[in-house]
CSV table of all heavy atoms in Angstrom, one decimal:
chain,number,residue,atom,x,y,z
A,25,PRO,N,14.3,16.0,5.5
A,25,PRO,CA,15.0,15.5,6.7
A,25,PRO,C,14.1,15.7,8.0
A,25,PRO,O,14.1,14.7,8.8
A,25,PRO,CB,16.2,16.4,6.8
A,25,PRO,CG,16.4,16.9,5.4
A,25,PRO,CD,15.1,16.9,4.7
A,26,ASN,N,13.5,16.8,8.2
A,26,ASN,CA,12.7,17.0,9.4
A,26,ASN,C,11.5,16.0,9.5
A,26,ASN,O,11.2,15.4,10.5
A,26,ASN,CB,12.2,18.4,9.6
A,26,ASN,CG,13.3,19.4,9.9
A,26,ASN,OD1,14.4,19.0,10.3
A,26,ASN,ND2,13.0,20.6,9.7
A,27,ASN,N,10.9,15.9,8.3
A,27,ASN,CA,9.7,15.0,8.3
A,27,ASN,C,10.1,13.5,8.4
A,27,ASN,O,9.4,12.7,9.0
A,27,ASN,CB,8.9,15.2,7.0
A,27,ASN,CG,8.3,16.6,7.0
A,27,ASN,OD1,8.2,17.3,7.9
A,27,ASN,ND2,7.7,16.9,5.8
A,28,LYS,N,11.3,13.2,7.9
A,28,LYS,CA,11.7,11.8,7.9
A,28,LYS,C,11.9,11.3,9.4
A,28,LYS,O,11.5,10.2,9.7
A,28,LYS,CB,13.1,11.6,7.2
A,28,LYS,CG,13.5,10.2,7.0
A,28,LYS,CD,14.8,10.2,6.3
A,28,LYS,CE,14.6,10.0,4.8
A,28,LYS,NZ,15.8,9.7,4.0
A,29,VAL,N,12.4,12.2,10.2
A,29,VAL,CA,12.6,11.9,11.6
A,29,VAL,C,11.3,11.9,12.3
A,29,VAL,O,11.0,11.0,13.1
A,29,VAL,CB,13.5,13.0,12.3
A,29,VAL,CG1,13.6,12.8,13.8
A,29,VAL,CG2,14.9,12.9,11.7
A,30,LYS,N,10.4,12.8,12.0
A,30,LYS,CA,9.1,12.9,12.7
A,30,LYS,C,8.2,11.8,12.3
A,30,LYS,O,7.4,11.3,13.1
A,30,LYS,CB,8.4,14.3,12.4
A,30,LYS,CG,9.2,15.4,13.1
A,30,LYS,CD,8.6,16.7,12.7
A,30,LYS,CE,9.4,17.9,13.2
A,30,LYS,NZ,8.9,19.2,12.7
A,31,LEU,N,8.2,11.3,11.1
A,31,LEU,CA,7.3,10.3,10.6
A,31,LEU,C,7.8,8.9,11.1
A,31,LEU,O,7.0,8.0,11.3
A,31,LEU,CB,7.2,10.3,9.1
A,31,LEU,CG,6.4,11.4,8.5
A,31,LEU,CD1,6.5,11.4,7.0
A,31,LEU,CD2,4.9,11.2,8.9
A,32,SER,N,9.1,8.7,11.2
A,32,SER,CA,9.7,7.5,11.6
A,32,SER,C,9.1,6.2,10.9
A,32,SER,O,8.8,5.3,11.5
A,32,SER,CB,9.6,7.3,13.2
A,32,SER,OG,8.2,7.1,13.6
A,33,ILE,N,9.0,6.4,9.6
A,33,ILE,CA,8.6,5.3,8.7
A,33,ILE,C,9.6,5.1,7.6
A,33,ILE,O,10.2,6.1,7.1
A,33,ILE,CB,7.2,5.7,8.0
A,33,ILE,CG1,6.1,5.9,9.1
A,33,ILE,CG2,6.8,4.7,7.0
A,33,ILE,CD1,4.9,6.5,8.5
A,34,ASP,N,9.8,3.9,7.2
A,34,ASP,CA,10.7,3.7,6.1
A,34,ASP,C,9.8,4.0,4.8
A,34,ASP,O,9.1,3.1,4.3
A,34,ASP,CB,11.2,2.2,6.1
A,34,ASP,CG,12.1,1.9,4.9
A,34,ASP,OD1,12.4,2.8,4.1
A,34,ASP,OD2,12.7,0.8,4.9
A,35,SER,N,9.9,5.2,4.4
A,35,SER,CA,9.0,5.7,3.4
A,35,SER,C,9.2,5.0,2.0
A,35,SER,O,8.2,4.7,1.3
A,35,SER,CB,9.1,7.2,3.2
A,35,SER,OG,10.4,7.5,2.8
A,36,GLU,N,10.4,4.7,1.7
A,36,GLU,CA,10.6,4.0,0.4
A,36,GLU,C,10.0,2.6,0.4
A,36,GLU,O,9.3,2.2,-0.6
A,36,GLU,CB,12.1,3.9,0.1
A,36,GLU,CG,12.8,5.2,-0.1
A,36,GLU,CD,14.3,5.1,-0.3
A,36,GLU,OE1,14.8,4.0,-0.4
A,36,GLU,OE2,14.9,6.2,-0.4
A,37,LYS,N,10.2,1.9,1.5
A,37,LYS,CA,9.6,0.5,1.6
A,37,LYS,C,8.0,0.6,1.6
A,37,LYS,O,7.4,-0.1,0.9
A,37,LYS,CB,10.1,-0.1,2.8
A,37,LYS,CG,9.5,-1.5,3.1
A,37,LYS,CD,10.0,-2.1,4.3
A,37,LYS,CE,9.4,-3.5,4.6
A,37,LYS,NZ,9.7,-4.0,5.9
A,38,PHE,N,7.5,1.6,2.4
A,38,PHE,CA,6.1,1.8,2.5
A,38,PHE,C,5.5,2.1,1.1
A,38,PHE,O,4.5,1.5,0.6
A,38,PHE,CB,5.7,2.9,3.5
A,38,PHE,CG,4.3,3.2,3.5
A,38,PHE,CD1,3.4,2.3,4.2
A,38,PHE,CD2,3.8,4.3,2.9
A,38,PHE,CE1,2.0,2.6,4.3
A,38,PHE,CE2,2.4,4.6,3.0
A,38,PHE,CZ,1.6,3.8,3.6
A,39,CYS,N,6.1,3.0,0.4
A,39,CYS,CA,5.6,3.4,-0.9
A,39,CYS,C,5.7,2.3,-1.9
A,39,CYS,O,4.8,2.1,-2.7
A,39,CYS,CB,6.3,4.7,-1.5
A,39,CYS,SG,6.0,6.2,-0.5
A,40,ALA,N,6.7,1.5,-1.9
A,40,ALA,CA,6.9,0.4,-2.8
A,40,ALA,C,5.8,-0.6,-2.5
A,40,ALA,O,5.2,-1.2,-3.5
A,40,ALA,CB,8.3,-0.2,-2.6
A,41,GLU,N,5.5,-0.9,-1.2
A,41,GLU,CA,4.5,-1.9,-0.9
A,41,GLU,C,3.1,-1.4,-1.4
A,41,GLU,O,2.3,-2.2,-1.9
A,41,GLU,CB,4.4,-2.1,0.6
A,41,GLU,CG,5.6,-2.9,1.2
A,41,GLU,CD,5.5,-3.0,2.7
A,41,GLU,OE1,4.6,-2.5,3.3
A,41,GLU,OE2,6.5,-3.6,3.3
A,42,ILE,N,2.8,-0.1,-1.2
A,42,ILE,CA,1.5,0.4,-1.6
A,42,ILE,C,1.4,0.4,-3.1
A,42,ILE,O,0.4,0.0,-3.6
A,42,ILE,CB,1.3,1.9,-1.0
A,42,ILE,CG1,1.3,1.9,0.5
A,42,ILE,CG2,0.1,2.5,-1.6
A,42,ILE,CD1,0.1,1.1,1.1
A,43,ARG,N,2.5,0.7,-3.8
A,43,ARG,CA,2.4,0.7,-5.3
A,43,ARG,C,2.2,-0.7,-5.8
A,43,ARG,O,1.5,-0.9,-6.8
A,43,ARG,CB,3.7,1.3,-5.9
A,43,ARG,CG,3.7,2.9,-5.7
A,43,ARG,CD,4.7,3.5,-6.5
A,43,ARG,NE,4.5,5.0,-6.5
A,43,ARG,CZ,5.2,5.8,-5.7
A,43,ARG,NH1,6.1,5.4,-4.9
A,43,ARG,NH2,4.9,7.1,-5.8
A,44,GLU,N,2.8,-1.7,-5.1
A,44,GLU,CA,2.6,-3.1,-5.5
A,44,GLU,C,1.2,-3.5,-5.2
A,44,GLU,O,0.6,-4.2,-6.0
A,44,GLU,CB,3.6,-4.0,-4.6
A,44,GLU,CG,3.5,-5.4,-5.1
A,44,GLU,CD,4.5,-6.3,-4.3
A,44,GLU,OE1,5.6,-5.8,-4.0
A,44,GLU,OE2,4.1,-7.4,-3.9
A,45,ASN,N,0.6,-3.0,-4.1
A,45,ASN,CA,-0.8,-3.3,-3.8
A,45,ASN,C,-1.7,-2.7,-4.8
A,45,ASN,O,-2.8,-3.2,-5.2
A,45,ASN,CB,-1.2,-2.9,-2.4
A,45,ASN,CG,-0.5,-3.7,-1.3
A,45,ASN,OD1,0.0,-3.2,-0.4
A,45,ASN,ND2,-0.5,-5.1,-1.5
A,46,ILE,N,-1.4,-1.4,-5.2
A,46,ILE,CA,-2.2,-0.8,-6.3
A,46,ILE,C,-2.1,-1.6,-7.6
A,46,ILE,O,-3.2,-1.7,-8.2
A,46,ILE,CB,-1.6,0.7,-6.5
A,46,ILE,CG1,-1.9,1.6,-5.3
A,46,ILE,CG2,-2.2,1.3,-7.7
A,46,ILE,CD1,-1.3,2.9,-5.3
A,47,SER,N,-1.0,-2.1,-7.9
A,47,SER,CA,-0.9,-2.9,-9.1
A,47,SER,C,-1.7,-4.2,-9.0
A,47,SER,O,-2.4,-4.5,-9.9
A,47,SER,CB,0.6,-3.3,-9.3
A,47,SER,OG,0.7,-4.1,-10.5
A,48,ASP,N,-1.7,-4.8,-7.8
A,48,ASP,CA,-2.5,-5.9,-7.6
A,48,ASP,C,-4.0,-5.6,-7.7
A,48,ASP,O,-4.8,-6.4,-8.2
A,48,ASP,CB,-2.2,-6.5,-6.2
A,48,ASP,CG,-0.8,-7.1,-6.1
A,48,ASP,OD1,-0.2,-7.4,-7.1
A,48,ASP,OD2,-0.4,-7.3,-4.9
A,49,LEU,N,-4.4,-4.4,-7.2
A,49,LEU,CA,-5.8,-4.0,-7.2
A,49,LEU,C,-6.2,-3.8,-8.7
A,49,LEU,O,-7.3,-4.2,-9.0
A,49,LEU,CB,-6.0,-2.7,-6.4
A,49,LEU,CG,-7.4,-2.2,-6.3
A,49,LEU,CD1,-8.3,-3.3,-5.6
A,49,LEU,CD2,-7.4,-0.9,-5.5
A,50,SER,N,-5.4,-3.1,-9.4
A,50,SER,CA,-5.7,-2.9,-10.8
A,50,SER,C,-5.8,-4.2,-11.7
A,50,SER,O,-6.5,-4.3,-12.6
A,50,SER,CB,-4.8,-1.9,-11.5
A,50,SER,OG,-3.5,-2.4,-11.6
A,51,ASP,N,-5.0,-5.2,-11.2
A,51,ASP,CA,-5.0,-6.5,-11.9
A,51,ASP,C,-6.1,-7.4,-11.4
A,51,ASP,O,-6.4,-8.4,-12.1
A,51,ASP,CB,-3.7,-7.2,-11.7
A,51,ASP,CG,-2.5,-6.5,-12.5
A,51,ASP,OD1,-2.8,-5.7,-13.4
A,51,ASP,OD2,-1.4,-6.7,-12.1
A,52,ALA,N,-6.8,-7.1,-10.3
A,52,ALA,CA,-7.8,-7.9,-9.7
A,52,ALA,C,-9.0,-8.1,-10.7
A,52,ALA,O,-9.5,-7.1,-11.2
A,52,ALA,CB,-8.3,-7.4,-8.4
A,53,LYS,N,-9.4,-9.3,-10.9
A,53,LYS,CA,-10.5,-9.6,-11.8
A,53,LYS,C,-11.8,-9.9,-11.0
A,53,LYS,O,-12.8,-9.4,-11.5
A,53,LYS,CB,-10.1,-10.9,-12.6
A,53,LYS,CG,-8.9,-10.7,-13.5
A,53,LYS,CD,-9.1,-9.7,-14.6
A,53,LYS,CE,-7.8,-9.7,-15.4
A,53,LYS,NZ,-7.5,-8.4,-16.0
A,54,THR,N,-11.7,-10.6,-10.0
A,54,THR,CA,-12.9,-11.0,-9.2
A,54,THR,C,-13.2,-10.0,-8.1
A,54,THR,O,-12.3,-9.4,-7.6
A,54,THR,CB,-12.8,-12.4,-8.7
A,54,THR,OG1,-11.8,-12.4,-7.6
A,54,THR,CG2,-12.4,-13.5,-9.7
A,55,PRO,N,-14.4,-9.9,-7.7
A,55,PRO,CA,-14.7,-9.1,-6.5
A,55,PRO,C,-14.0,-9.5,-5.3
A,55,PRO,O,-13.6,-8.6,-4.5
A,55,PRO,CB,-16.2,-9.2,-6.4
A,55,PRO,CG,-16.7,-9.6,-7.7
A,55,PRO,CD,-15.6,-10.4,-8.3
A,56,ALA,N,-13.7,-10.8,-5.1
A,56,ALA,CA,-13.0,-11.3,-3.9
A,56,ALA,C,-11.6,-10.8,-3.9
A,56,ALA,O,-11.1,-10.3,-2.9
A,56,ALA,CB,-13.0,-12.8,-3.9
A,57,GLU,N,-10.9,-10.8,-5.1
A,57,GLU,CA,-9.6,-10.2,-5.2
A,57,GLU,C,-9.5,-8.7,-4.9
A,57,GLU,O,-8.6,-8.2,-4.2
A,57,GLU,CB,-9.0,-10.5,-6.6
A,57,GLU,CG,-8.7,-12.0,-6.9
A,57,GLU,CD,-8.3,-12.2,-8.3
A,57,GLU,OE1,-8.6,-11.4,-9.2
A,57,GLU,OE2,-7.5,-13.2,-8.6
A,58,LYS,N,-10.5,-8.0,-5.5
A,58,LYS,CA,-10.6,-6.6,-5.2
A,58,LYS,C,-10.8,-6.3,-3.8
A,58,LYS,O,-10.2,-5.4,-3.2
A,58,LYS,CB,-11.7,-6.0,-6.1
A,58,LYS,CG,-11.5,-6.0,-7.5
A,58,LYS,CD,-12.8,-5.5,-8.3
A,58,LYS,CE,-12.6,-5.6,-9.8
A,58,LYS,NZ,-13.8,-5.2,-10.5
A,59,LEU,N,-11.7,-7.0,-3.2
A,59,LEU,CA,-12.0,-6.8,-1.7
A,59,LEU,C,-10.8,-7.1,-0.9
A,59,LEU,O,-10.4,-6.3,0.0
A,59,LEU,CB,-13.2,-7.7,-1.3
A,59,LEU,CG,-13.8,-7.5,0.0
A,59,LEU,CD1,-14.3,-6.0,0.1
A,59,LEU,CD2,-14.9,-8.5,0.3
A,60,ARG,N,-10.1,-8.3,-1.2
A,60,ARG,CA,-8.9,-8.6,-0.4
A,60,ARG,C,-7.8,-7.6,-0.5
A,60,ARG,O,-7.3,-7.1,0.5
A,60,ARG,CB,-8.4,-10.0,-0.8
A,60,ARG,CG,-7.2,-10.5,0.0
A,60,ARG,CD,-6.7,-11.9,-0.5
A,60,ARG,NE,-7.0,-12.3,-1.8
A,60,ARG,CZ,-6.2,-12.0,-2.9
A,60,ARG,NH1,-5.2,-11.2,-2.7
A,60,ARG,NH2,-6.6,-12.4,-4.1
A,61,THR,N,-7.5,-7.1,-1.7
A,61,THR,CA,-6.5,-6.1,-1.9
A,61,THR,C,-6.9,-4.8,-1.4
A,61,THR,O,-6.1,-4.1,-0.8
A,61,THR,CB,-6.2,-6.0,-3.4
A,61,THR,OG1,-5.9,-7.3,-4.0
A,61,THR,CG2,-5.0,-5.1,-3.7
A,62,GLY,N,-8.2,-4.4,-1.5
A,62,GLY,CA,-8.7,-3.2,-0.9
A,62,GLY,C,-8.5,-3.2,0.6
A,62,GLY,O,-8.2,-2.1,1.2
A,63,ARG,N,-8.8,-4.3,1.2
A,63,ARG,CA,-8.7,-4.3,2.7
A,63,ARG,C,-7.2,-4.2,3.1
A,63,ARG,O,-6.9,-3.6,4.1
A,63,ARG,CB,-9.3,-5.6,3.2
A,63,ARG,CG,-10.8,-5.6,3.1
A,63,ARG,CD,-11.4,-6.9,3.6
A,63,ARG,NE,-12.8,-6.8,3.6
A,63,ARG,CZ,-13.6,-7.9,3.7
A,63,ARG,NH1,-13.1,-9.1,3.9
A,63,ARG,NH2,-14.9,-7.7,3.7
A,64,VAL,N,-6.3,-4.8,2.4
A,64,VAL,CA,-4.9,-4.7,2.7
A,64,VAL,C,-4.4,-3.2,2.5
A,64,VAL,O,-3.8,-2.7,3.4
A,64,VAL,CB,-4.0,-5.6,1.8
A,64,VAL,CG1,-2.6,-5.3,1.9
A,64,VAL,CG2,-4.3,-7.1,2.1
A,65,LEU,N,-4.8,-2.6,1.4
A,65,LEU,CA,-4.5,-1.2,1.2
A,65,LEU,C,-5.0,-0.3,2.3
A,65,LEU,O,-4.3,0.6,2.8
A,65,LEU,CB,-5.0,-0.7,-0.2
A,65,LEU,CG,-4.1,-1.0,-1.3
A,65,LEU,CD1,-4.8,-0.8,-2.6
A,65,LEU,CD2,-2.9,-0.1,-1.3
A,66,HIS,N,-6.3,-0.5,2.6
A,66,HIS,CA,-6.9,0.3,3.7
A,66,HIS,C,-6.2,0.1,5.0
A,66,HIS,O,-5.9,1.1,5.7
A,66,HIS,CB,-8.4,-0.2,3.8
A,66,HIS,CG,-9.2,0.6,4.8
A,66,HIS,ND1,-9.3,0.3,6.1
A,66,HIS,CD2,-9.9,1.8,4.6
A,66,HIS,CE1,-10.1,1.2,6.7
A,66,HIS,NE2,-10.5,2.1,5.8
A,67,ALA,N,-5.8,-1.1,5.4
A,67,ALA,CA,-5.1,-1.3,6.6
A,67,ALA,C,-3.8,-0.7,6.6
A,67,ALA,O,-3.4,0.0,7.6
A,67,ALA,CB,-5.0,-2.8,6.9
A,68,LYS,N,-3.0,-0.8,5.5
A,68,LYS,CA,-1.7,-0.2,5.5
A,68,LYS,C,-1.7,1.3,5.5
A,68,LYS,O,-0.9,2.0,6.3
A,68,LYS,CB,-1.0,-0.6,4.2
A,68,LYS,CG,-0.5,-2.1,4.3
A,68,LYS,CD,0.3,-2.4,3.0
A,68,LYS,CE,0.8,-3.9,3.0
A,68,LYS,NZ,1.5,-4.2,1.8
A,69,ILE,N,-2.6,1.9,4.8
A,69,ILE,CA,-2.7,3.4,4.8
A,69,ILE,C,-3.3,3.9,6.1
A,69,ILE,O,-2.8,4.9,6.6
A,69,ILE,CB,-3.5,3.9,3.6
A,69,ILE,CG1,-2.7,3.6,2.3
A,69,ILE,CG2,-3.8,5.4,3.7
A,69,ILE,CD1,-3.4,4.0,1.0
């Protein structure tokens, strides 16, 4: 509860998005896909 207020982030949504991006990264076949997904993950985190 204390951290939820201090972080002011929808943590469930954030974690779901990151997990989806992780799945996309592990499924990426080409370096371009890996790079694109890696950049998205880097920016979000």
Side-chain angles (χ1 to χ4, degrees):
N26 288 345
N27 292 350
K28 189 180 266 190
V29 171
K30 291 175 185 174
L31 286 172
S32 67
I33 297 172
D34 184 356
S35 61
E36 292 176 8
K37 180 181 174 189
F38 175 77
C39 291
E41 287 176 2
I42 295 297
R43 286 191 172 101
E44 186 178 319
N45 292 133
I46 289 171
S47 180
D48 292 344
L49 183 62
S50 66
D51 292 342
K53 302 290 184 215
T54 67
E57 291 173 335
K58 293 176 185 178
L59 191 60
R60 182 176 28 80
T61 308
R63 287 177 176 169
V64 169
L65 275 166
H66 187 268
K68 285 182 180 179
I69 291 178

